[in-house]
Amino acid sequence: MEDKLIRLDVNHMMADMLGLQCGVNPAEVDALAVFAKRAQENVAAKRGTGMLGWTELPYNQEEVVEKLLNVAAHVREKFDAFVVLGIGGSALGPIAIQQALNHLHYNELPKAKRNGPRLYVEDNVDPERMAALLDVIDPKTTCFNVITKSGATAETMSQYLIVSDLLKREVGEGWQEHIIATTDESRGNLIKLVKSEGFESFVIPNGVGGRFSEMCPVGLLAAAVCGIDIRAMLRGAAMMDEACKSSDVWKNPALLEATLQYICSEEMGVNVHVMMPYADSLRYIADWFCQLWAESLGKNVTRKGMAVNVGQTPVKSLGVTDQHSQLQLYTEGPYDKVVTFLKVENYRAETKIPHGCEEIPDVAFLGGKSHNQLIQAERVGTEYALYRAGRMSQTITLPEVNANTIGQLLYFFEMTTAYMGEFLDIDAFNQPGVEESKLASFAVLGHPAEKFAKKRDEMATQPKEKDKYIL
């Protein structure tokens, strides 16, 4: 099948389509054209450097891809289950790609119908979750992929301690063959374990942060293990990169998207961005987007250190499911939301609806149609309901959900995020708010380092809780 570009349709964002008081005036976009051009040029000038290493991933990984495919083939041959131990971008990307590109009930398929071992992504430390995982896997036939750049991620390394202890007891000699590490090339705790234990390993490239890491070994290994065409993903990313080379805001889809969202959030008070895929295969793309958008753009200082509090709040929604749980708010609640629909042009299956219940007209009219028609009609209906209520929405159309279009989609959102960082003059690649939480957590657990002791002392100065506020 010929690779086709995904499409961005912003008709229902624009005031000349939606209404002058409800949408973005095209003149506002034109007024920002110079700033948009500068944003595009700044990102282009810095690509491949600093924390923009992810921009080169579609082009500089041929040897890595070869190794990934070879290791994946070995894992498929030897193991019945593949478990990713990671959190944040190390988990959300692999989950989203597996859901998008493999069978929706992949793990329940018989082995002969699967593209690889059963896949589990353990992205939390709920003790019941770890116990449940160990109930459904056999350590002797399971491979664990430990993903952390620093090797100091408490959640992931606690899982490593549990799993390595289990493997030593259950497998014994050669237990190391059940672990693949994905980490920094030379720094951190996990690379030390790679060298001392002899684990198979992959490198997280410099300049690739967790939420931008799906198209490096962080995400590509699990995808390759489960039979996904990782070369097609990278080819799709390169296609989108090419589409984003123009500095003309009306010709670069990611640049136009960033400009519109900047106007929405900074000039119109539209501070909630709803991601609403109309496909179960794309439901976890919304989760992945939420981390990318929130962690990158929710900042309280500019790059010059000036105080700001910026960032849209991303919300995940699923069409048609959440028409029945969230749409009421979107159509009649505050004018503070923009909805992005993810539309699939051609689904990979067709479910026909039989004729029946002829005595009930409200049911009988469905006969002879298909779920394919129904889900498209429901999306159009939701789009119209928002339009009629004067609420902004836009649609990203995937000709089909495949490895190429998913690669395009991820890269589109990543480029949009980078441009948005330029508009807001913030560091879109750090996460100091997350680091504060980590410091406090380690302090509570009694980490002996001095900085955590100071944090414990600081936390002790909090006001004592009052019984009258606990019911």
Side-chain angles (χ1 to χ4, degrees):
M1 179 180 175
E2 179 187 356
D3 292 336
K4 295 181 180 179
L5 272 172
I6 64 176
R7 304 188 302 277
L8 172 67
D9 180 348
V10 299
N11 269 280
H12 285 186
M13 295 287 292
M14 309 309 297
D16 53 341
M17 298 295 293
L18 191 61
L20 289 175
Q21 295 183 348
C22 304
V24 177
N25 192 317
E28 295 178 86
V29 177
D30 291 333
L32 287 172
V34 172
F35 297 97
K37 183 175 186 291
R38 187 180 305 156
Q40 192 277 336
E41 290 174 347
N42 285 348
V43 171
K46 293 182 287 189
R47 65 177 296 138
T49 66
M51 291 308 294
L52 281 160
W54 55 270
T55 56
E56 294 302 311
L57 294 177
Y59 311 105
N60 63 5
Q61 296 192 97
E62 187 52 42
E63 289 185 12
V64 175
V65 167
E66 282 294 329
K67 181 181 175 182
L68 284 164
L69 294 174
N70 289 333
V71 171
H74 172 74
V75 171
R76 284 198 300 274
E77 181 181 336
K78 185 172 181 179
F79 298 104
D80 293 328
F82 187 78
V83 178
V84 173
L85 304 179
I87 200 163
S90 300
L92 289 172
I95 291 170
I97 296 310
Q98 176 72 355
Q99 176 80 5
L101 298 177
N102 269 331
H103 193 284
L104 295 180
H105 296 289
Y106 174 90
N107 279 1
E108 284 73 47
L109 289 173
K111 187 174 183 179
K113 291 187 176 182
R114 273 189 272 114
N115 293 323
R118 290 174 292 135
L119 176 67
Y120 300 94
V121 182
E122 297 304 301
D123 66 339
N124 207 347
V125 289
D126 181 335
E128 295 182 20
R129 179 167 181 161
M130 178 56 72
L133 172 70
L134 298 181
D135 282 339
V136 298
I137 63 168
D138 178 357
K140 296 176 181 177
T141 57
T142 300
C143 181
F144 298 88
N145 182 201
V146 187
I147 308 175
T148 163
K149 194 172 183 95
S150 67
T153 308
E155 299 88 353
T156 303
M157 294 311 294
S158 71
Q159 293 172 331
Y160 166 78
L161 290 172
I162 293 167
V163 165
S164 60
D165 179 70
L166 178 67
L167 290 172
K168 289 171 187 176
R169 288 186 281 108
E170 296 288 325
V171 175
E173 186 177 352
W175 68 272
Q176 297 93 334
E177 296 175 15
H178 291 247
I179 290 182
I180 301 173
T182 306
T183 188
D184 189 85
E185 185 174 24
S186 59
R187 295 174 297 176
N189 300 317
L190 189 51
I191 193 63
K192 294 176 184 176
L193 291 169
V194 168
K195 292 175 180 177
S196 64
E197 300 290 357
F199 298 145
E200 179 65 83
S201 66
F202 288 92
V203 170
I204 302 174
N206 291 328
V208 179
R211 55 192 179 273
F212 291 86
S213 67
E214 174 55 30
M215 283 182 283
C216 79
V218 168
L220 295 181
L221 177 58
V225 164
C226 295
I228 290 167
D229 187 347
I230 60 176
R231 282 200 172 98
M233 284 179 60
L234 294 169
R235 188 170 67 249
M239 287 174 62
M240 182 52 63
D241 187 40
E242 185 65 28
C244 294
K245 286 187 175 177
S246 175
S247 60
D248 184 335
V249 68
W250 292 109
K251 294 180 180 179
N252 179 331
L255 190 59
L256 176 60
E257 172 67 356
T259 305
L260 290 173
Q261 297 309 324
Y262 175 79
I263 293 169
C264 284
S265 61
E266 297 306 299
E267 299 180 8
M268 300 176 69
V270 178
N271 290 319
V272 179
H273 191 153
V274 180
M275 186 60 56
M276 195 169 189
Y278 270 75
D280 271 48
S281 60
L282 300 177
R283 68 185 303 162
Y284 292 116
I285 294 291
D287 291 67
W288 174 86
F289 169 80
C290 283
Q291 185 202 6
L292 179 72
W293 205 242
E295 204 165 69
S296 298
L297 303 178
K299 299 294 161 61
N300 66 0
V301 294
T302 68
R303 287 181 290 204
K304 299 179 182 68
M306 297 176 64
V308 293
N309 292 99
V310 295
Q312 284 179 319
T313 298
V315 173
K316 56 186 179 181
S317 187
L318 178 65
V320 297
T321 299
D322 287 318
Q323 288 174 210
H324 297 269
S325 66
Q326 299 176 23
L327 186 59
Q328 175 64 34
L329 175 66
Y330 302 161
T331 55
E332 296 189 4
Y335 283 84
D336 62 352
K337 300 170 190 68
V338 56
V339 177
T340 296
F341 295 112
L342 298 183
K343 170 188 173 183
V344 177
E345 207 159 59
N346 297 297
Y347 291 87
R348 294 167 294 191
E350 182 181 23
T351 304
K352 294 184 178 180
I353 303 171
H355 290 281
C357 297
E358 302 299 334
E359 71 284 7
I360 309 174
D362 286 346
V363 177
F365 90 100
L366 294 168
K369 298 181 174 63
S370 68
H371 273 173
N372 306 59
Q373 292 172 284
L374 180 57
I375 196 169
Q376 296 288 22
E378 298 234 30
R379 180 192 53 76
V380 170
T382 300
E383 182 181 53
Y384 180 75
L386 291 169
Y387 163 79
R388 192 168 183 273
R391 311 305 171 108
M392 287 186 290
S393 71
Q394 58 184 4
T395 300
I396 299 171
T397 299
L398 285 73
E400 180 184 276
V401 177
N402 58 41
N404 181 277
T405 58
I406 291 297
Q408 292 182 49
L409 187 64
L410 299 190
Y411 201 86
F412 166 80
F413 285 134
E414 289 172 348
M415 289 299 293
T416 300
T417 302
Y419 293 147
M420 192 70 165
E422 293 295 319
F423 269 110
L424 296 169
D425 191 27
I426 58 169
D427 185 342
F429 306 107
N430 67 358
Q431 52 277 335
V434 178
E435 298 306 319
E436 174 64 21
S437 170
K438 291 179 182 178
L439 278 171
S441 298
F442 277 38
V444 170
L445 285 171
H447 194 294
E450 182 181 357
K451 65 179 179 180
F452 300 112
K454 288 182 178 179
K455 183 58 64 175
R456 278 193 295 277
D457 292 341
E458 175 192 313
M459 294 172 72
T461 66
Q462 295 179 89
K464 298 293 184 184
E465 292 185 348
K466 297 179 180 180
D467 290 341
K468 67 178 182 179
Y469 297 140
I470 302 174
L471 305 184

